[in-house]
Every structure is written in C-alpha cells, then in structure tokens.
Amino acid sequence: MVGYFFQGVIVSWLIHKFVGLVQNEENNNSNIISLLIIIVLSFTTGLSFSTSMLTPDIFTPIMILATIITLRAQGDVLTTAVTSILVIQSLLVHNSHIFIFGFGILLFLVLSYLVRRHNKKFKILEKVQLSRLAILFGFSICLLLGVNYVIDKRVGLSDGGHVFLLNKLHDDNLLVPFLNEKCPEKKYYLCNDKDTLPWDLIWDVKSPVTANGDWNTHKDENLSIIIDLLTSPKYFLLFIYKCVVHTIKQLVNFESGDAPNSEHMIRPPLIAIEKYYNFELKEFLAANQVQKKQDFTVLNLLQFFCIIISGIGLILRVTRSNTDVRLLFYFIFIISFLISNAFICANLSIVLDRYSSRLIWLIPLLWFAFEIPILVDKMNRELSVK
C-alpha cells in the first residue's frame, strides 16, 4: 500500500508541475486544473492502473515528465533537483529505460532539427539543457555499472539480456527456421528441443533456456546463436522487417489491464509471499487479479476514444501556422519517447499492450493541459458577466 501511495504522489506532483509549465505559471486556477486533469485521466485512461502496479512501468512516464520539467523549469532550483533525482531513479529501475531515454532524446533532436527548418520560432535544446541531459544520463549509467560491479563483480548493464533477445527472435518466428537450417552442422543445445519449444522461452517452466531456473546456464551458447542468426543476411533482413512491423504494432496496442493472472505467472510471487509475508497470503489469493475478476472492457473503450480525440486535437493544434511553440516542443518530445518506447520494447522484448499503455495517457495529458484552462477561463468569463 505504501508503494502505491508514493507512486501516486509522484505522478500527481509531476502532472501538477507539467500543467504549470504548459500554462507558464500564469493561470491562477493551476491547482484546480491539475486536479481536474488527474480525475479525468484516472477515469478515461490506464493511468490509475499503471500507477497502482508495483512494477517499473510507472517510472517510464515519470522519467519522461521529470525530464521535461528538468529541462524547462528555469530558476526553480528545488523542482529541478527533485526531478533530476526522479530521472536518475527512473533510469536505474529498469535497464530498458537506458535505451528508451537515449534513443528518445536522439529522436527528439532529429525531429526538432527538421521542425526548426520549417518553423524558425521553434528552439532546439540549448547547450545548458543538453549538458544537463548528458550529466544525468552519464551519471546514471556510471552509477548502474558501479552498483552491478559491487554486487556481481562485473561491469555491465544486464546479465540476462541475451535471454530476452533470444525470446524475441523466437517470437519473430526466426529462431526455429534458423535452427532447422543450422542444426545439422552446429550442435546447439536447443537443437534437441527445436520442434517443441514453448511460445515463452523466458517464463515457461518447459523452456530449455531457463529449465534449471538460471538464465545464464547457456549464456555463451545463447549469444553464439544470436550472433550467428543476426550475421546471416537472410535472417538479418527479416529481423529488420520484423522490427519495423512490431514497432508499429506496439504503438497501436495500448489496452490497459495487462496484469498476469495465469497459474505459472502467479506462482513466483505466491512462493515469495508464503515465505516472507504469510500474513498477507489470504488477501493475495482473494485479490481480483488472482481470481481473474478484473474487467477492463469499459475502461479500454473510453481510453480508445480519449486517445483518438486528444490525438486529433493535438495534430490540429500543432499544424496551425500560428501554433504555440511550447505545445510543439512538448508534442515532439512526447511523440519521440512514445516511438522510442515502442521500438525498444517491441524489439528487445515482445509486443505487449502494457508497454504502450503505461505511456499513452501522456497524449491526452498534453491536450487537456492546453484545452481545459481555455474552457475554465471561458466559464469564468461567462459567470462574471452573469
């Protein structure tokens, strides 16, 4: 419960600060507008669901909003300090965030350059802002490498990335055809099981990749299979094609409610709860997630229309000749990270609704942050006239 509470506090505070930035701290109704936006997002998107899960997922949008505020909150030392810490924390909680952040910033700079050629009023990041990003990113990587070295006596970001990439190649329908072709000459350990490989090589108990519970038992051979496959021209071209297709699929798959409830997914936390939190065992077993009683049909329908309407609204706004350059900045930044998140997650893992659902609410957030204040001001003027 404590974890849920503090995640909610962080997200709410960031939304409030973001709305203040969008309004340039000029709107006297900033607190009311922020609260209204949080309420609307909670009922029309998967924001509340993502915030209430004890996984690193909520730190992906936290990373994005905290980065925006760190770059734009000029003169507010306390806010900049807090958001900088949140950026570092977000980068450390999941290895994928390092890649999402790096590729997202790179894509943002490229898109900003292209926009700048057509809109001279639009400003690309200044040297001070770029330096701030470089320091945060570099410090986070050094800290992560240092922690990994202290714990495991090795220098590296992750010791299990090869398993996820191998699973990705299997999900892309590339692994089995490759094994069928190469097994007669190369005796990979997967050759004996190539015709019975389960769909999920990572978590399925029948997977030969993780049969004894240790992802690194076959690490060297897994890396050899990956390298051999990706250095084969035929499979490399197929892999690139799959990367493009799956990135697009990830962008448009954003339904909420992706909470594991199958028996083999519930088993690991059940073991830990029985061992360390036995007094919570009844509550865990009675939870709607475990009982498969959660229904997200209505929420996902509302979310779909919310994303479509806000997306169209934003496009209409940013394509105006006199568009607000601040809106353009936030729009390009958020779109860059949505694409980066889809590309990294879909191609280092597999396509899952959860990966996009955790971020998709940033689109209506941006639209509401511009539109709701206009609506509130209009209502205030009408009331004052009456």
Side-chain angles (χ1 to χ4, degrees):
M1 290 295 292
V2 176
Y4 305 148
F5 174 77
F6 281 107
Q7 286 182 177
V9 169
I10 292 171
V11 172
S12 299
W13 181 76
L14 287 172
I15 290 175
H16 173 64
K17 286 295 180 180
F18 179 73
V19 172
L21 278 180
V22 170
Q23 293 305 306
N24 213 17
E25 303 292 353
E26 295 174 354
N27 198 307
N28 296 326
N29 299 310
S30 181
N31 292 336
I32 297 176
I33 292 169
S34 298
L35 179 60
L36 183 58
I37 289 175
I38 291 171
I39 293 173
V40 173
L41 289 176
S42 296
F43 283 96
T44 59
T45 71
L47 169 61
S48 57
F49 176 79
S50 298
T51 306
S52 301
M53 287 187 70
L54 287 178
T55 68
D57 283 356
I58 193 57
F59 282 93
T60 315
I62 285 175
M63 175 180 70
I64 297 169
L65 289 177
T67 302
I68 292 175
I69 297 168
T70 301
L71 292 173
R72 307 289 285 192
Q74 299 177 352
D76 192 339
V77 178
L78 179 59
T79 296
T80 302
V82 174
T83 52
S84 296
I85 292 172
L86 287 175
V87 172
I88 295 171
Q89 167 69 12
S90 300
L91 287 168
L92 294 178
V93 296
H94 202 282
N95 290 321
S96 67
H97 289 173
I98 296 289
F99 301 102
I100 293 171
F101 186 88
F103 184 63
I105 293 298
L106 178 62
L107 184 57
F108 170 73
L109 292 175
V110 171
L111 293 178
S112 295
Y113 173 76
L114 296 175
V115 171
R116 171 69 177 167
R117 296 180 63 180
H118 298 282
N119 188 339
K120 299 301 180 183
K121 293 181 181 180
F122 183 79
K123 294 181 179 180
I124 304 176
L125 294 178
E126 299 175 355
K127 290 182 180 180
V128 175
Q129 295 172 314
L130 287 172
S131 299
R132 193 177 298 169
L133 283 177
I135 291 171
L136 288 174
F137 191 49
F139 177 78
S140 300
I141 292 177
C142 291
L143 184 59
L144 180 59
L145 294 176
V147 170
N148 285 343
Y149 180 77
V150 170
I151 295 175
D152 293 332
K153 302 302 178 186
R154 63 176 179 81
V155 178
L157 295 178
S158 172
D159 207 27
H162 59 96
V163 177
F164 284 89
L165 187 51
L166 193 69
N167 188 61
K168 159 68 179 172
L169 295 173
H170 182 45
D171 185 67
D172 284 350
N173 247 349
L174 298 178
L175 181 60
V176 172
F178 174 79
L179 292 174
N180 286 332
E181 184 178 312
K182 298 295 182 180
C183 279
E185 58 181 279
K186 294 192 175 184
K187 303 301 180 182
Y188 299 122
Y189 78 100
L190 289 177
C191 288
N192 293 331
D193 301 296
K194 62 182 177 63
D195 297 324
T196 57
L197 288 176
W199 172 76
D200 187 348
L201 294 181
I202 300 175
W203 306 112
D204 197 306
V205 293
K206 298 178 182 179
S207 170
V209 178
T210 57
N212 64 352
D214 184 358
W215 286 358
N216 293 315
T217 301
H218 305 287
K219 180 178 180 179
D220 292 339
E221 201 164 353
N222 287 339
L223 290 173
S224 177
I225 293 172
I226 293 168
I227 293 172
D228 288 347
L229 190 153
L230 293 180
T231 53
S232 171
K234 178 177 72 173
Y235 290 103
F236 178 73
L237 291 175
L238 285 172
F239 176 73
I240 296 299
Y241 168 75
K242 293 281 188 177
C243 284
V244 174
V245 171
H246 286 169
T247 299
I248 296 172
K249 285 179 64 178
Q250 183 62 75
L251 281 170
V252 298
N253 282 269
F254 48 78
E255 287 193 347
S256 294
D258 185 7
N261 55 21
S262 61
E263 184 178 348
H264 77 280
M265 292 294 286
I266 292 296
R267 185 62 183 163
L270 177 61
I271 294 172
I273 290 170
E274 285 180 328
K275 185 175 181 181
Y276 299 106
Y277 303 98
N278 192 262
F279 58 91
E280 296 279 359
L281 183 59
K282 288 183 179 179
E283 287 77 4
F284 175 77
L285 294 175
N288 287 339
Q289 178 180 338
V290 177
Q291 295 294 321
K292 301 181 181 180
K293 294 181 179 179
Q294 293 175 318
D295 187 354
F296 294 88
T297 305
V298 175
L299 175 62
N300 284 323
L301 185 62
L302 288 172
Q303 180 173 253
F304 175 78
F305 286 109
C306 181
I307 300 304
I308 295 299
I309 294 170
S310 58
I312 293 174
L314 282 173
I315 292 173
L316 292 175
R317 266 190 168 273
V318 299
T319 51
R320 293 176 184 173
S321 58
N322 61 340
T323 185
D324 189 325
V325 290
R326 290 177 302 137
L327 172 62
L328 197 54
F329 177 91
Y330 299 132
F331 179 76
I332 296 173
F333 198 94
I334 289 173
I335 291 300
S336 297
F337 271 87
L338 283 173
I339 295 173
S340 175
N341 175 75
F343 176 76
I344 296 299
C345 292
N347 296 301
L348 292 185
S349 180
I350 57 176
V351 175
L352 291 174
D353 283 278
R354 179 168 57 88
Y355 292 145
S356 290
S357 175
R358 63 189 182 183
L359 290 184
I360 201 67
W361 57 270
L362 292 174
I363 292 178
L365 167 62
L366 179 58
W367 189 57
F368 290 150
F370 273 86
E371 294 293 341
I372 288 182
I374 296 173
L375 180 62
V376 171
D377 288 341
K378 183 179 179 181
M379 291 173 63
N380 286 338
R381 285 196 300 270
E382 290 179 353
L383 289 174
S384 63
V385 171
K386 292 180 181 180

